[in-house]
Structure formats: C-alpha cells, structure tokens
C-alpha cells in the first residue's frame, strides 16, 4: 500500500499524473511486480515514480526508471507543457534530475527506485533484464512512442503488465501516439485490463 506520506509527496510534486491515474498505476505496478521488476520510460520529476516505487517496494523488487532528463519536445520552451523552473540557468537546457532525486528522497523510496539516465532507445539496445511491468510515458511523438513499445515490450515477461499513459481515443482530447501504441499492443495479443482516465493497462499473454 502507498503510505499517507508517499501519497502526499506524489500529489505535491511536479508532473503529469492525475491522482486517480496514479493510484491505478500503483495497482497495475503491484500486479506486474509479482512477475518481475518494474520499468518506466519517462521519469520526469518522479511523480509516477512514487506510485510505482511504492508498488516495487511492496513486491520486494525495484523500479528502473529511464529518462535523459532533458524533456520531451512538448516540454521545451514555447510548448504547452513547458515549466521554466526545470531549466538549468547555467546552460538554458532542461534538467529534471534534481527534482526527480528530491521527490524520491522525500518519499523515502531511494532503496526501491533506480534512475537510469539516458536516451530510451540507447539504453534499450543494451538492456538484458526481463521485467514484469512496463510503463510507457516517454516522448509522445508517434515514432518515439512506437519505438519505445518495440524496444521495451520484448523485455516484458509473459504474464507481465504493460501500462500506457496519455491514451486518447478522440483526437480532440489529445495526441494519438499512445493510443496507437495501445491498439498495436492489442493487435499483438495483449489483453486489456483496464482504463483510468488516459491510463490503459494490458496483460502480456503467458
Ligand atoms: N511520468 C512522468 C511524466 C513523464 S514526461 C510523471 O509522472 O510526471 C515525459 C518524459 O520523457 C520527460 O521527462 C522526457 O525527458 C522523457 N523522454 C522523452 N523522450 C525520451 C527519450 N528518448 N529517452 C529518455 N527519456 C525521454
Ligand atoms: Mg504522461
């Protein structure tokens, strides 16, 4: 279970994870954590990392969370999801890593959450460890999101859980890439488990 203080940290910190979707993510993490370690693409400031890190802790496993911490296209200056707080004044580049570290420290989850700092396809090309849970919430451009699925889903164990964020069936509600990834997963035989807001979860067939 998420403790009250973990939940308070998750709710307070910067990020893109509504409370109800965060709780559903935590539940999905608990299911996948029974199968193997958890892996997240898109750490940002650690908000989803608290929900998933608590699930990893409860399953006596770990969460690996991958991000280059330089922001997605939609996080850069001039775009909708830009936040000037996360710009390094020395270089003018985004750097969310200090926020991420503070979030995980505040939540008391440093023993369960392992940050991998780098570009998702680059890390994925060298990755060897099978995982029980995969959360795709990195770059949301179509080729980026689909590449994350192609690279990482093969590391998901049979019976493992796949979660995809920002799935919008209606283009009026948001970008289509994550929803296309969800459709692709269904085509590949993944079984839908649930939908909470824009969060969709599926089970990889065993
Ligand atoms: N899960 C977060 C939100 C993630 S935002 C939350 O709960 O708030 C998307 C993140 O994906 C950004 O931090 C961005 O830096 C990261 N990202 C985008 N493309 C990436 C890539 N190719 N490799 C690694 N990280 C990437
Ligand atoms: Mg998201």
């Amino acid at each position: 279970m998420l403790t009250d203080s973990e939940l308070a940290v998750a709710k307070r910190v910067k990020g893109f994870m509504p409370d109800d979707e965060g709780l559903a993510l935590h539940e999905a993490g608990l299911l996948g954590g029974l199968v193997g370690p958890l892996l997240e693409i898109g750490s940002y400031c650690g908000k989803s990392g608290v929900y998933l890190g608590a699930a990893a802790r409860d399953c006596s496993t770990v969460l690996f969370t991958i991000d280059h911490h330089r922001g997605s296209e939609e996080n850069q200056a001039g775009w909708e999801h830009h936040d000037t707080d996360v710009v390094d004044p020395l270089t003018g580049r985004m750097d969310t890593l200090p926020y991420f570290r503070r979030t995980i420290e505040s939540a008391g989850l440093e023993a369960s959450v392992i940050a991998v700092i780098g570009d998702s396809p680059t890390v994925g090309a060298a990755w060897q460890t099978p995982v029980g849970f995969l959360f795709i919430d990195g770059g949301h451009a179509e080729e980026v999101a689909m590449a994350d699925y192609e690279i990482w889903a093969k590391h998901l164990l049979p019976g493992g859980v796949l979660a995809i964020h920002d799935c919008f069936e209606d283009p009026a509600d948001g970008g289509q890439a994550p929803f296309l990834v969800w459709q692709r997963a269904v085509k590949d035989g993944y079984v839908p488990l649930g939908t909470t807001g824009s969060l969709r979860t599926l089970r990889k067939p065993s």
Side-chain angles (χ1 to χ4, degrees):
M1 281 297 292
L2 274 168
T3 65
D4 289 346
S5 71
E6 287 163 354
L7 189 59
V9 172
K11 286 185 172 178
R12 160 169 72 72
V13 298
K14 286 182 190 298
F16 306 104
M17 184 56 60
D19 301 348
D20 60 332
E21 297 178 30
L23 292 173
L25 186 66
H26 174 72
E27 293 294 321
L30 288 173
L31 287 180
L34 298 175
V35 179
L38 283 68
L39 191 142
E40 167 180 68
I41 316 297
S43 325
Y44 196 60
C45 299
K47 194 179 188 72
S48 48
V50 173
Y51 292 106
L52 291 176
R57 187 261 331 277
D58 287 355
C59 293
S60 304
T61 187
V62 292
L63 166 69
F64 298 106
T65 177
I66 298 168
D67 202 310
H68 48 40
H69 287 280
R70 298 304 188 188
S72 306
E73 193 178 41
E74 57 272 18
N75 305 130
Q76 306 302 323
W79 290 71
E80 185 189 349
H81 295 292
H82 184 60
D83 178 347
T84 50
D85 289 357
V86 299
V87 175
D88 180 342
L90 211 63
T91 62
R93 299 175 71 203
M94 274 185 66
D95 184 7
T96 48
L97 183 57
Y99 288 87
F100 171 85
R101 278 180 77 79
R102 180 55 49 84
T103 297
I104 301 305
E105 178 184 39
S106 307
L109 286 167
E110 287 181 313
S112 306
V113 178
I114 297 166
V116 180
I117 300 147
D119 174 52
S120 165
T122 308
V123 177
W127 192 265
Q128 300 267 7
T129 304
V131 298
F133 176 88
L134 172 62
F135 180 42
I136 300 180
D137 194 24
H140 288 36
E142 189 176 329
E143 55 292 349
V144 177
M146 201 58 86
D148 279 339
Y149 171 79
E150 277 162 9
I151 291 161
W152 292 103
K154 55 178 184 283
H155 297 293
L156 188 61
L157 288 159
V161 175
L162 170 66
I164 306 168
H165 199 224
D166 305 302
C167 294
F168 300 108
E169 204 160 346
D170 182 349
D173 296 330
Q176 291 295 283
F179 182 63
L180 293 173
V181 172
W182 178 83
Q183 286 181 316
R184 164 73 185 277
V186 172
K187 207 175 110 221
D188 289 347
Y190 284 72
V191 180
L193 289 176
T195 299
T196 304
S198 75
L199 180 77
R200 296 200 179 206
T201 56
L202 309 99
R203 173 90 73 179
K204 188 172 190 171
S206 5

